[in-house]
């Protein structure tokens, strides 16, 4: 059934990983495992050059399947929590530009999934939050780590300590989302962003993403070394030759990449 709940559709270089588990796209273990499979597939496929995470017109994802989670004891969660985090990390590690198209609720695991994207485009009616504290828990799919890195520790603690939901306007103000658009335009805007980058230099985009992400996890000197190695390595690529040749012959911004 998870194959029906999570799908990967590819068109024009853009892959859409779609959640479709009515009514709220609850992220049970089968959905989590399927997300990992499709994230890894999107990373491998040459016809996928950018990715959209999408839950449909009404809701992104309202979190974990609480009924399923309640049945797990400590020993079972010790095992499951690693698989949970690995599923979300697989999304974060897709070596291509990833945009989350956030409609309706993105709560708990849904918010954590959006945090795995490179940018988040939210509808005006979207609500985001980490309400795990209201269950006597903390976020377990990366929320304490990715949220703090995105919005800063104080704002992350406010959201995690209180479990409160933030509307799209506040989410934009604190940096939790990057753009707010009318609800009916969320997927269209996300697709436009992804489609544009799908026409870009794939290796340079991968290098940029990995340099930023890896650099955030280390000290400045090591981060500069990561950047330097990627920068020099790109001089061996056809994309670099194509881009520079186009700049010299036709002017900036006119290169067409394969």
């Amino acid at each position: 059934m998870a194959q029906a709940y999570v799908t990967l559709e590819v068109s024009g270089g853009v892959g859409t990983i779609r959640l479709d588990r009515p009514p709220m796209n609850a992220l049970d273990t089968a959905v989590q495992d399927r997300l990992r499979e499709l994230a890894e597939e999107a990373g491998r496929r040459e016809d996928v050059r950018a990715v959209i995470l999408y839950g449909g017109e009404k809701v992104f994802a309202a979190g974990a399947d609480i009924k399923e989670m309640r049945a797990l004891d400590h020993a079972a969660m010790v095992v499951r929590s690693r698989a949970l985090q690995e599923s979300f990390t697989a999304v974060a590690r897709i070596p291509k530009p990833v945009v989350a198209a956030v409609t309706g609720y993105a709560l708990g695991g849904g918010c954590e999934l959006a945090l795995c994207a490179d940018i988040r485009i939210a509808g005006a009616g979207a609500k985001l939050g980490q309400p795990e504290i209201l269950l006597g828990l903390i976020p377990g799919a990366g929320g304490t780590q990715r949220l703090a890195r995105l919005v800063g520790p104080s704002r992350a603690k406010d959201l995690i300590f209180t479990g409160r939901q933030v509307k799209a306007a506040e989410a934009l103000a604190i940096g939790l989302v990057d753009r707010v658009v009318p609800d009916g335009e969320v997927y269209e805007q996300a697709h436009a962003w992804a489609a544009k980058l799908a026409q870009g230099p794939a290796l340079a985009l991968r290098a940029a993403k990995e340099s930023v992400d890896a650099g955030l996890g280390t000290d400045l000197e090591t981060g500069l070394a990561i950047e330097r190695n990627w920068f020099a390595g790109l001089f061996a690529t056809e994309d670099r030759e194509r881009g520079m040749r186009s700049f010299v012959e036709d002017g900036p911004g006119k290169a067409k990449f394969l």
Side-chain angles (χ1 to χ4, degrees), residues 21 24-29 32 61-69 77 84 88 107-112 131-132 135 137:
R21 189 187 180 208
M24 301 299 285
N25 290 336
L27 302 168
D28 67 358
T29 57
Q32 295 163 20
D65 187 324
I66 304 303
K67 292 181 179 179
E68 179 189 63
M69 186 181 293
M77 187 51 77
L84 167 63
F88 283 64
L107 303 175
C111 186
E112 289 172 301
E132 290 88 350
L135 301 174
L137 296 170

Side-chain angles (χ1 to χ4, degrees), residues 66-203:
I66 304 303
K67 292 181 179 179
E68 179 189 63
M69 186 181 293
R70 187 184 180 194
L72 300 178
D73 60 13
H74 171 256
M77 187 51 77
V78 167
V79 175
R80 184 62 212 173
S81 60
R82 180 175 294 276
L84 167 63
Q85 288 190 346
E86 288 176 347
S87 296
F88 283 64
T89 296
V91 176
R93 288 182 177 170
I94 294 173
K96 299 163 185 181
V98 178
V99 54
V102 181
T103 56
Y105 291 107
L107 303 175
C111 186
E112 289 172 301
L113 179 59
L115 291 172
C116 294
D118 299 306
I119 76 163
R120 285 147 292 280
I121 297 176
K127 293 183 178 180
L128 300 91
Q130 300 288 168
E132 290 88 350
I133 202 76
L134 305 179
L135 301 174
L137 296 170
I138 65 171
T144 65
Q145 302 305 303
R146 294 191 178 97
L147 183 59
R149 284 166 170 77
L150 183 65
V151 304
S154 294
R155 286 171 171 163
K157 287 174 182 176
D158 171 43
L159 297 180
I160 294 168
F161 288 0
T162 65
R164 70 185 183 90
Q165 300 174 18
V166 297
K167 296 181 180 179
E170 182 180 357
L172 179 64
I174 67 175
L176 179 52
V177 302
D178 302 282
R179 193 181 308 168
V180 175
V181 302
D183 290 325
E185 298 180 13
V186 174
Y187 184 80
E188 177 185 352
Q189 294 281 345
H191 192 276
W193 183 89
K196 180 178 181 179
L197 291 181
Q199 302 302 314
L203 286 174

Side-chain angles (χ1 to χ4, degrees), residues 215 218-229:
T218 188
D219 60 272
L220 177 59
E221 183 176 355
T222 303
L224 288 170
I226 293 169
E227 177 186 271
R228 182 170 64 248
N229 289 335

